Amino acid sequence: MDRQRISRLAHAHHPIAAPLADGSVSRLLDRALGGREAGRVLDLGCGEGAWLLRALAARPGWRAVGVDVDAGALTRARETATALGVVRRIGLHHRDAREFTDREPFDLVLCVGATHAFGGLLPTLAAARGLLAPGGRLLVGEGFWEREPSRAALDGLGAAREDFADLATTTDRVLADGWTPVYGHVSTAREWDDYEFSWTGSLAEWALDHPEHPDAVAAREAADHHRGGWLHGYRGTLGFVTHLLRRD
């Protein structure tokens, strides 16, 4: 069972692929879009387009572009955009986000929970820099260590200690790269728990509802493995910060 299909099923009830509650998403988007009534927004690693669709619904003058390697997720994004009546204001590209270019710059670039597509936070900042219009903003979500990770936490994530830093160091790296945080949000324990229970629960429930499907066993195993890695490993150790940035 491929990872893209697992992700689509796991996010069925939590379309924002990050530990962020609806209220947090709304506040972040409101600050990111600012007072502009019109503009262009790009999501690098957009999945089913949840961020973009919310932005378009909130700001009728904005246009959006989404990029993702998951063709199935992009199909879902297009279907939802059609149902919401915003499909004419969104362009969706099936390609590696690292290869995306555009002739026009963007007023807002998003990469929340998808910095792995670029190999980490700093390469993501470099990619976004070349896509932003002067005065544009970047909304980027990244993991950080709430505390020193144990071996169980690292194993649960399939990560290495150097994959993340603490919050202060993560922010210092952003500043040193020529960006200024103008807003931000650190996901709460409640947001994390809701996200993880939704992720594992949605996947397990699909397996229970489709016992004869050839992917049912793999889906259940993926849910159980993920739940174990979270509850017995990185719960309370891995944090998540969403920075709203402007270039110096």
Side-chain angles (χ1 to χ4, degrees):
M1 190 176 187
D2 68 83
R3 293 181 61 183
Q4 293 173 357
R5 178 164 169 75
I6 288 174
S7 180
R8 288 198 302 275
L9 293 172
H11 289 103
H13 298 97
H14 200 296
I16 296 295
L20 292 163
D22 282 347
S24 301
V25 173
S26 295
R27 284 192 300 276
L28 286 163
L29 264 181
D30 187 58
R31 291 292 293 266
L33 295 169
R36 296 179 63 109
E37 294 301 321
R40 301 180 76 230
V41 54
L42 167 68
D43 191 345
L44 297 167
C46 67
E48 295 184 13
W51 285 94
L52 296 179
L53 295 173
R54 290 181 70 144
L56 293 179
R59 301 292 175 91
W62 280 71
R63 301 184 68 83
V65 173
V67 182
D68 204 279
V69 294
D70 186 349
L74 294 176
T75 297
R76 291 283 296 275
R78 189 172 292 107
E79 291 170 350
T80 306
T82 300
L84 294 174
V86 299
V87 71
R88 293 185 178 181
R89 292 192 284 130
I90 189 170
L92 298 168
H93 300 269
H94 180 217
R95 67 178 63 177
D96 191 318
R98 294 172 297 179
E99 301 171 357
F100 178 77
T101 60
D102 200 286
R103 289 175 295 179
E104 295 182 56
F106 293 88
D107 303 291
L108 172 62
V109 174
L110 308 172
C111 188
V112 181
T115 58
H116 58 273
F118 296 91
L121 177 59
L122 294 181
T124 301
L125 299 181
R129 184 179 291 112
L131 294 163
L132 274 178
R137 301 179 179 193
L138 169 63
L139 192 67
V140 59
E142 175 73 331
F144 69 92
W145 297 127
E146 292 269 15
R147 60 187 181 187
E148 187 64 24
S150 64
R151 184 71 258 167
L154 296 174
D155 289 345
L157 284 167
R161 171 64 180 82
E162 59 271 20
D163 287 346
F164 303 105
D166 60 29
L167 178 59
T169 302
T170 300
T171 305
D172 287 345
R173 290 173 178 173
V174 169
L175 288 161
D177 199 53
W179 300 82
T180 297
V182 295
Y183 188 59
H185 175 78
V186 173
S187 295
T188 65
R190 181 174 181 176
E191 285 177 307
W192 262 112
D193 286 351
D194 179 67
Y195 177 65
E196 296 288 14
F197 273 126
S198 182
W199 199 103
T200 56
S202 296
L203 192 56
E205 190 165 43
W206 181 88
L208 290 170
D209 288 342
H210 301 83
E212 304 304 320
H213 195 283
D215 286 337
V217 172
R220 182 59 183 265
E221 289 177 348
D224 291 345
H225 178 76
H226 188 110
R227 188 188 308 105
W230 164 52
L231 290 175
H232 296 285
Y234 63 88
R235 183 174 185 262
T237 297
L238 182 65
F240 193 82
V241 59
T242 307
H243 276 309
L244 180 60
L245 307 173
R246 291 183 61 177
R247 291 176 59 186
D248 289 346

